[in-house]
Amino acid sequence: MSDVSPTVLFEYPLNEKMRTWLRLEFLLQQMYDNRGLKDIGVALTFFRAVAELLDILERGDVRPDLLKELARQQQKLAQWSELPEADIERIHTLRQKLRNLSSELTAAPRMGQGLREDKLIGMVRQRLSLPGGCCSFDLPTLHIWLHQLPEQKCQQANIWLNSIAVLKHSLDSVLELIRHAGTFRDLTSLNGFYQDNATDADLLRLQVALEHQVYPQISGHKTRFAIRFLPLDSEHGHIPERLVFELACC
């Protein structure tokens, strides 16, 4: 694929565990990107992400799944260390990092407990399901809070984010290792369709040139998947007969 043409990266989870992790990553990114809380629009994006994050965490399976994955990645690194060309120092550093994260995650209080117990977050969370329910007359507490000094709001946002820091660090490390486990290959779809096997993979990563103005509709699980490319403009767009794209099974 040409380096000149910009590409768009799509990711598709092949199991429920990965689906949950990608959603958590998406919500955490929104929280960190909008931590400045400079106006009501930014604040509502932040608080809505917090509310949805707590909805996921309340299922209770995030910590055990992450601990299992941290252990699995340590085992994989131990196997790689036996290869002749292995970077032993790098592997040792990564294994130690994963061990530390496992200890921190095990010792951490209930995931999201600090956010769940915060009064302001609780009030906003209750109003988010009501259309326009966070306007100034419905939620005057939020209205006056947003008029605090920027450094005060920043300090409070840091407290909230620090309460889930171990979750973010563990998730970031796990997803980084999973993503790096797959190598991109140049592939070609015929009439917008491609299918293949994905034995024991957790994640599909697909890159397609932006100039084609197409997106993938992916279905599959951990043993087999199918990709159908569709035009962004459903009325006038078209799919090349032979579309080159890049795919990594991770």
Side-chain angles (χ1 to χ4, degrees):
M1 188 173 293
S2 173
D3 294 333
V4 177
S5 176
T7 60
V8 181
L9 174 66
F10 298 88
E11 293 187 325
Y12 184 83
L14 293 173
N15 52 56
E16 187 60 32
K17 171 189 68 178
M18 182 58 64
R19 187 173 291 109
T20 297
W21 290 350
L22 291 181
R23 286 173 176 160
L24 284 173
E25 180 188 46
F26 176 67
L27 293 170
L28 286 166
Q29 189 62 59
Q30 290 180 61
M31 291 170 62
Y32 275 80
D33 286 349
N34 294 282
R35 63 194 301 174
L37 303 168
K38 62 181 181 178
D39 55 42
I40 186 64
V42 171
L44 286 181
T45 299
F46 177 90
F47 286 119
R48 195 176 301 278
V50 171
E52 293 179 7
L53 180 85
L54 290 176
D55 288 343
I56 294 176
L57 293 179
E58 284 170 358
R59 300 174 191 170
D61 56 356
V62 174
R63 190 205 306 258
D65 282 349
L66 279 174
L67 286 170
K68 289 177 184 177
E69 187 63 29
L70 287 168
R72 186 173 78 96
Q73 292 295 336
Q74 290 182 60
Q75 293 174 355
K76 289 177 64 176
L77 288 169
Q79 294 172 355
W80 291 348
S81 66
E82 299 175 0
L83 299 176
E85 66 275 18
D87 184 340
I88 301 300
E89 183 176 352
R90 173 63 174 162
I91 290 176
H92 174 76
T93 300
L94 284 173
R95 291 185 69 189
Q96 186 59 50
K97 177 183 178 182
L98 297 182
R99 281 194 292 266
N100 292 341
L101 286 171
S102 293
S103 298
E104 292 174 14
L105 192 60
T106 301
R110 184 184 177 193
M111 293 287 97
Q113 190 63 25
L115 301 175
R116 197 175 290 105
E117 294 176 348
D118 188 89
K119 291 182 179 179
L120 180 61
I121 288 176
M123 285 188 290
V124 176
R125 190 182 180 192
Q126 288 179 347
R127 306 296 299 183
L128 284 171
S129 60
L130 178 67
C134 292
C135 64
S136 61
F137 68 84
D138 272 323
L139 202 53
T141 306
L142 176 62
H143 185 65
I144 184 62
W145 188 85
L146 288 173
H147 283 79
Q148 305 305 302
L149 293 174
E151 53 267 28
Q152 290 178 290
K153 292 188 290 183
C154 184
Q155 182 180 20
Q156 182 58 62
N158 286 333
I159 292 173
W160 289 330
L161 294 174
N162 286 339
S163 72
I164 53 170
V166 65
L167 168 64
K168 186 176 189 305
H169 295 157
S170 300
L171 185 64
D172 286 347
S173 296
V174 162
L175 291 178
E176 181 182 17
L177 288 170
I178 290 174
R179 285 168 172 143
H180 286 172
T183 302
F184 280 105
R185 299 174 294 147
D186 285 338
L187 299 172
T188 303
S189 70
L190 299 178
N191 297 315
F193 184 76
Y194 181 85
Q195 64 179 357
D196 202 350
N197 296 320
T199 304
D200 295 326
D202 291 306
L203 178 70
L204 295 180
R205 308 186 77 211
L206 187 154
Q207 291 189 133
V208 60
L210 180 60
E211 63 180 332
H212 296 306
Q213 292 290 286
V214 300
Y215 63 92
Q217 189 176 74
I218 305 173
S219 60
H221 46 79
K222 65 179 182 179
T223 58
R224 191 164 184 79
F225 64 91
I227 303 171
R228 184 171 297 281
F229 290 96
L230 301 172
L232 180 59
D233 185 343
S234 59
E235 293 185 9
H236 306 292
H238 72 280
I239 303 296
E241 181 179 351
R242 298 179 64 86
L243 175 67
V244 177
F245 64 98
E246 292 179 286
L247 181 71
C249 295
C250 307

